[in-house]
Amino acid sequence: MRIAHVITRLILGGAQENTVLTCEDLSRDFGDDVLLVTGPTQGPEGSLLERAKRSGIRIVEIPSLVRPIHPVRDARTYFELRRAIRRFQPEVVHTHSAKGGFLGRLAAHAERVPAIVHTVHGAPFHPYQSRGARALFRACERHAAKRCDALISVADAMTQLLVNAKVAPRDKFVTIYSGIEVEPFLAAGELRASARKRLAYRDDEIVVGVVARLFHLKGHEYVVRAAEQVIAVAPQVRFLFVGDGIVAGSIRAQIESRGLSSYFKFAGLVPPEEIPAHISAMDLVVHASLREGLARVLPQALLAGKPVVSYDIDGAREVVIANETGFLLPPQSIEPLTSAIVTLARDPALSRRLGEEGRRRFTDQFRHETMSRQIRALYERVLATKKSREREIVEAAASNR
C-alpha cells in the first residue's frame, strides 16, 4: 500500500513514538510505501525526527503545521497538506494529534483519498479548558470525524469520551493499544545495578519515578506535595523526574521552597532507548497527569516489573488494575497518593507481585508489532468495504439503465 501519516510534530511523546513505530513496521513488515508528513519539531520536549530519518521513512516537513491556532497560517497548511497528498497519491491517509488530525483529514477528504483513518491519542477537549474552547474543539472533531472512515482509540476510555461528546457513532471506533518496543523493558532488571550507580542511589533508597513532560496538567506539582508527607514517614524514599518542559523551573522552585531538593533528581530529556534503564532504577512509578489517552509509561513500567500508581483518568484503569497491577487514585488527590507511595515503599513483596502481574498481563498486548498488524488489518477492511460499496453503486446504476 501507499500510506501517508500526518502528525503535528515529532517531539518525544507517546503519540509520536506510536506514529514512528507504525511507519517503521508498515515499511519493514508489509513492504508498504510510507510517507510521514509533520510540522517543525521545536521546544524543550526533544525530537524523534532524526530517528524517523534514520529508519529510512520518507518525510515531508511543513513549516506552518504547528500547534497554535492561526487562521491564515492554518489555511496555508491545509493547501500544503493537499499538495503533499496529491503528489504522493496514497491509498490511505492516517492522521494523528489535534491540528494534524483536523487539517489532515480535511485535506485527505478533499483529495478523495480512498481510506482516511485518525488515531485519538487523547481528546483535544477536556474539563480544564474554558467552555468556549471545549465547544470549539468538540465542533472541530465532529466536523473532521465525518470526513474519515475509521477512528482508532488508544484506550476504550477514549471511545467512550468521544461517543458521549457526539463526535462520532460507536461503530466508527476501534481500540488499538499504542505499541511499544517491549523487549528492552522486559530486560530492564539487568540494567538496575548500573543505572542506580550512575544515578547515585544507595541500595536502601526507594526510588519513586515520574516519566512525563514537564508540562501543564502533567501533575508534577501533586507529586511534590505528596512527597513532603511521604518523606516525613518514609525518609528513605527518593523521587526521580524523567523529562523536561516549560514548567521545569516552577517545579524546581516548589521543591526548593519545601526544602526537598536533596530528595529529588531531574534526569532531564532522555532518549526513548534510555527509558528502560531509568525505569529499572525505580522501585515504583507514579503518573499524576490530569488528562492522557493512555500514558505509555504505565505499560512500560509494568513490563519492567514495576508497580504503578496513577490518577484515575482516561485509559489508565485499562492497565492499572486496582490492587492487581497498582493503585488507581482520584485525580488531584494528595492523601491517597501519599498513602499509595508509602504502602509500596514499605512492602517490597507487594510491589514485586503487582509488577509481575502487570508484566504477565500486558506483554503481548503492547508489542508494537501487535499494534501495527491491527492497524494494517483496519486499512484493509476500510478499503475492502469502500470497494464493495462502489461495486454495489455501479451495479445498481447499471440495472437501472
Side-chain angles (χ1 to χ4, degrees), residues 12 44-46 199 201 210-214 220 239-245 248 252 264-272 274-275 278 282:
L12 290 179
E45 298 93 347
L199 291 164
Y201 286 120
V210 177
V211 182
R213 287 187 297 143
L214 289 159
H220 294 83
F239 293 82
L240 175 61
F241 283 178
V242 178
D244 203 352
R252 287 179 181 272
F264 280 81
K265 291 185 192 293
F266 286 76
L269 279 178
V270 172
E274 293 182 20
I275 294 294
H278 281 75
M282 302 169 187

Side-chain angles (χ1 to χ4, degrees), residues 17 24 161 164 212 224 261 268 294 349:
E17 289 183 32
E24 290 175 350
L161 192 156
N164 290 347
V224 174
S261 296
L294 175 53

Side-chain angles (χ1 to χ4, degrees), residues 2-75:
R2 291 174 69 81
I3 304 163
H5 281 254
V6 179
I7 191 166
T8 308
R9 54 184 185 155
L10 283 178
I11 62 168
L12 290 179
Q16 292 76 16
E17 289 183 32
N18 169 304
T19 303
V20 171
L21 285 169
T22 302
C23 290
E24 290 175 350
D25 288 350
L26 291 171
S27 178
R28 182 187 61 246
D29 299 340
F30 297 93
D32 292 328
D33 190 359
V34 180
L35 174 71
L36 178 54
V37 182
T38 184
T41 302
Q42 299 171 339
E45 298 93 347
S47 172
L48 282 171
L49 185 60
E50 289 307 314
R51 159 151 183 184
K53 289 178 177 177
R54 287 197 304 270
S55 299
I57 299 170
R58 194 185 326 183
I59 296 172
V60 169
E61 293 183 63
I62 297 178
S64 59
L65 179 52
V66 294
R67 290 185 75 195
I69 295 172
H70 188 287
V72 174
R73 184 173 55 211
D74 294 343

Side-chain angles (χ1 to χ4, degrees), residues 381-400:
R381 290 198 302 274
V382 169
L383 286 168
T385 299
K386 295 191 83 170
K387 286 177 182 176
S388 176
R389 287 175 186 162
E390 288 170 2
R391 275 196 305 271
E392 290 173 3
I393 292 169
V394 170
E395 289 169 1
S399 66
N400 289 331

Side-chain angles (χ1 to χ4, degrees), residues 22 31 81 103 112 129 177 206 222 236 264 297 364:
T22 302
L81 284 167
L103 295 177
R112 301 182 182 276
Q129 293 167 322
Y177 288 102
I206 305 297
Y222 305 114
Q236 78 277 25
F264 280 81
V297 70
D364 289 333

Side-chain angles (χ1 to χ4, degrees), residues 72-91:
V72 174
R73 184 173 55 211
D74 294 343
R76 185 165 65 249
T77 302
Y78 166 75
F79 287 107
E80 287 288 336
L81 284 167
R82 287 192 62 175
R83 190 174 298 114
I85 291 168
R86 194 180 311 128
R87 286 173 179 162
F88 186 58
Q89 291 292 302
E91 296 163 79

